[in-house]
Amino acid sequence: MKETLAGIYGKHFLTLKDFTAEEICAFLDLAAELKRRKKAGIRHDVLRGKNVALIFEKTSTRTRCSFEVAAHDLGMGSTYLDPTGSQIGKKESIRDTARVLGRMYEGIEYRGYGQEIVNELAKYAGVPVWNGLTNEYHPTQMLADMLTAREHFGTLKGLRLTYFGDARYNMGNSYMVVCAKLGLHFTACAPKKYFPDPALVAECEAFAKESGGTITLTEDPEAAAGSDIICTDVWVSMGEPDEVWKERITDLSPYKVTRAVMEKAGEKAIFLHCLPSFHDLETKIGAEMGRRFGITDMEVTDEVFEGPQSLVFDEAENRMHTIKAVILATLARPEEYL
């Protein structure tokens, strides 16, 4: 692991396409070790005196808390810049923002819109830049999900992961990438118009050919049969117009994760969701959709979300441990912490 982590030092973390299977597994191994140390009360504040900037053009509970707690545990200071707390892209260009923050901070996290923004930050910052979520990719979430699956199954290679719902954006794309890299069998189960971009599919098929994984796109909900991991995401993402709710609910309701879906997968299967989830009506948006469309849930039923196969809160906790591993591996040499 040490030798692999040495190659990660100083790198950006923009998409898992940029990393080998060995490097992705090294992130997971380091996260598991940092989790062990935290649970045992062993201090690991090896980055004392360093600081990180956290840019959030899209707000978040898990990503913000994960980066802030991870930075604190590592001994770092952090500055949170919400959508009103920075001039990025408004009065100041991405390039200029990157060059300013890169002079003040050892690392920069970005959560927001197009992948081109985080790529431009990385081009000009002069320090490691981490992707906390873009429209196209969500790599920190993938590490958390893979760590959660590995903790449960003991291994990753050869597992069957089936993603239900809109597979065109960050979650569907990122599951396909990480499965292809690590030798899992990925299935996107959705109406054809919600399939991932064909160019990315072809790229992932090439990764899968090397790793022993497979890529399957299907409109048949029976694809749940034999799956080890069933996962989904909200049907409408932040920033999308209100009009799309009716279309998505109509198109994607047959791909809701229900008890029947989990039964098809079998007792051994686990359920993952990056959160937040509309599994009931106990949110403002959920209640509104309930009134408008006469529904009690959306992408997953409350029965599954709260059921014994659901590991969503283990998964949420693992965001922090895996993000800590990303920060540490990119900002310090292995001999400083191993």
Side-chain angles (χ1 to χ4, degrees):
M1 178 173 66
K2 256 189 175 181
E3 187 177 332
T4 304
L5 288 169
I8 294 170
Y9 171 68
K11 288 183 71 170
H12 301 298
F13 187 81
L14 307 178
T15 165
L16 291 180
K17 291 194 296 179
D18 300 333
F19 295 91
T20 65
E22 291 74 22
E23 288 172 330
I24 295 169
C25 289
F27 279 126
L28 299 180
D29 292 341
L30 179 55
E33 171 59 17
L34 293 171
K35 183 174 183 177
R36 183 194 69 79
R37 292 183 192 181
K38 187 171 178 69
K39 300 290 186 184
I42 301 170
R43 286 178 58 172
H44 42 280
D45 49 346
V46 296
L47 296 180
R48 290 185 300 278
K50 297 184 186 295
N51 295 280
V52 293
L54 309 177
I55 302 171
F56 279 72
E57 291 197 291
K58 287 185 178 181
T59 56
S60 166
T61 299
R62 277 149 298 281
T63 304
R64 176 182 179 179
C65 293
S66 294
F67 268 99
E68 289 191 341
V69 173
H72 178 271
D73 283 358
L74 292 170
M76 307 180 77
S78 61
T79 301
Y80 173 74
L81 299 169
D82 69 11
T84 64
S86 163
Q87 296 300 334
I88 185 169
K90 300 187 282 289
K91 292 183 179 178
E92 187 166 56
S93 68
I94 306 301
R95 180 175 61 182
D96 289 356
T97 300
R99 290 185 291 184
V100 169
L101 295 179
R103 297 292 187 95
M104 299 180 182
Y105 296 92
E106 280 74 30
I108 301 168
E109 180 270 354
Y110 173 82
R111 178 184 172 92
Y113 297 94
Q115 184 72 14
E116 69 277 1
I117 299 174
V118 75
N119 289 346
E120 190 165 8
L121 282 170
K123 183 177 180 180
Y124 292 103
V127 297
V129 171
W130 310 300
N131 180 359
L133 173 141
T134 61
N135 293 340
E136 294 85 357
Y137 298 108
H138 199 358
T140 60
Q141 182 67 55
M142 292 304 103
L143 293 184
D145 289 14
M146 291 300 104
L147 180 61
T148 305
R150 196 176 75 170
E151 287 173 339
H152 183 79
F153 292 107
T155 188
L156 290 172
K157 193 173 179 67
L159 293 179
R160 297 186 174 277
L161 183 149
T162 303
Y163 177 84
F164 280 81
D166 190 342
R168 299 171 296 172
Y169 300 122
N170 46 46
M171 288 302 291
N173 289 346
S174 296
Y175 274 127
M176 184 166 62
V177 169
V178 76
C179 288
K181 285 279 187 175
L182 297 183
L184 286 80
H185 302 290
F186 171 79
T187 298
C189 188
K192 190 168 290 185
K193 70 180 185 179
Y194 294 98
F195 284 178
D197 177 69
L200 181 60
V201 172
E203 195 173 0
C204 288
E205 285 175 338
F207 295 147
K209 190 174 181 181
E210 279 189 33
S211 69
T214 56
I215 306 293
T216 303
L217 310 179
T218 180
E219 296 184 276
D220 184 4
E222 295 294 320
S227 298
D228 300 293
I229 306 165
I230 300 290
C231 45
T232 188
D233 190 15
V234 293
W235 290 341
V236 177
S237 298
M238 285 184 290
E240 292 192 273
D242 188 61
E243 313 80 85
V244 304
W245 279 106
K246 183 177 181 181
E247 178 189 21
R248 300 284 171 80
I249 289 171
T250 300
D251 290 347
L252 295 174
S253 285
Y255 300 90
K256 178 189 300 186
V257 178
T258 63
R259 181 170 68 176
V261 168
M262 297 307 296
E263 286 176 349
K264 283 190 185 77
E267 290 183 3
K268 65 179 178 21
I270 61 172
F271 172 72
L272 298 179
H273 192 306
C274 63
L275 306 181
S277 167
F278 295 117
H279 58 97
D280 55 29
L281 304 181
E282 295 181 18
T283 61
K284 183 178 178 181
I285 293 175
E288 181 187 347
M289 294 305 112
R291 288 192 299 271
R292 283 174 58 183
F293 300 107
I295 56 178
T296 58
D297 47 46
M298 278 185 267
E299 74 278 4
V300 60
T301 62
D302 193 58
E303 182 179 26
V304 171
F305 186 89
E306 298 289 359
Q309 291 169 281
S310 174
L311 298 184
V312 297
F313 296 109
D314 292 341
E315 177 188 9
E317 178 194 337
N318 281 337
R319 289 296 306 286
M320 187 269 290
H321 302 298
T322 48
I323 282 171
K324 191 187 297 183
V326 169
I327 294 173
L328 186 55
T330 54
L331 293 189
R333 292 179 175 84
E335 56 267 25
E336 298 177 59
Y337 55 83
L338 288 179

